[in-house]
């Protein structure tokens, strides 16, 4: 069974640009989560999508947004990139409901802002 | 306030030593779930174990064991006879079962970097 897949592996952007990160969940999983792992800040919850709807978001500005497609894959968009957006962005998936289900993570996309 | 605290930032041991990684959590929910994940240098987070708040039985899986104590809000992880391949960052995480703003999110500790030397 294929795990969570993320693309691209690495992404280099400059300040002010926009970045799009992609995630395909494990087959049968309807929930997709996004986390940011920035140096010194640990793993921070960004967004949760289920059945195409945004169910919850963390304490991030609106320039972090995303969507979930009918096939349950997801995109994370970051607009007006800032230097502090440099981080590893991890996507996870789980079946719904969520509290007791482990979230299974992909390898991440490393976003570097120059 | 930090919901999950992993006080040990880095631990170094020599192969075959036992090592315990500490995790202390904080929640007002009566129903919650605790997790341990491993993050090797390649970056992906690998799920190791889930424990719900009503099950205080310790669990053993091969060289891994987990000690859950509600009285001290701790969920510690022990690796017996450590191996070089155990070198990674280990994260403890909490999920709360209420239906409010915490829904869907895992609260992670800052992680413990374990280095096992040959």
């Amino acid at each position: 069974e294929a795990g969570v897949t993320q693309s691209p592996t690495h992404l280099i952007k400059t300040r002010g640009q926009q970045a799009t990160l992609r995630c395909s969940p494990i087959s049968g999983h309807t929930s997709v989560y996004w986390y940011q792992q920035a140096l010194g800040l640990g793993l921070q919850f960004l967004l949760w999508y289920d059945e195409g709807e945004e169910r919850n978001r963390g304490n991030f500005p609106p320039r972090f947004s995303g969507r979930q497609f009918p096939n349950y894959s997801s995109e994370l968009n970051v607009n007006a990139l800032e230097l502090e957006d440099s981080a590893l962005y991890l996507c996870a998936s789980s079946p719904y409901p969520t509290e007791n289900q482990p979230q299974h993570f992909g390898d991440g996309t490393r976003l570097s802002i120059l | 306030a930090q919901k999950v605290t992993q006080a040990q930032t880095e631990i170094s041991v020599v192969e075959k030593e036992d090592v315990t990684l500490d995790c202390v959590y904080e929640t007002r929910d009566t129903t919650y779930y605790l997790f341990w994940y491993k993050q090797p240098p390649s970056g992906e987070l690998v799920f190791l174990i889930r424990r719900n708040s009503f099950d205080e039985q310790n669990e053993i899986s091969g060289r891994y064991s987990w000690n859950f104590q509600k009285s001290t809000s701790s969920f510690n992880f022990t690796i017996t006879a450590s191996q070089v391949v155990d070198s990674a960052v280990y994260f403890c995480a909490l999920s709360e079962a209420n239906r409010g703003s915490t829904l869907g999110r895992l609260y992670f500790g800052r992680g413990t970097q374990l280095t096992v030397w040959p």
Side-chain angles (χ1 to χ4, degrees), chain A residues 4-20:
Chain A
V4 176
T5 57
Q6 292 186 245
S7 63
T9 305
H10 294 94
L11 193 54
I12 299 175
K13 295 284 185 178
T14 57
R15 287 180 62 189
Q17 285 189 313
Q18 186 242 0
T20 298

Side-chain angles (χ1 to χ4, degrees), chain B residues 36 48-49 58-61 64-68 75-77:
Chain B
W36 275 95
L48 295 177
I49 190 171
N58 291 333
E59 180 153 344
I60 298 175
S61 175
Y64 295 170
S65 62
W66 291 269
N67 184 340
F68 175 35
F75 186 42
N76 296 337
F77 173 29

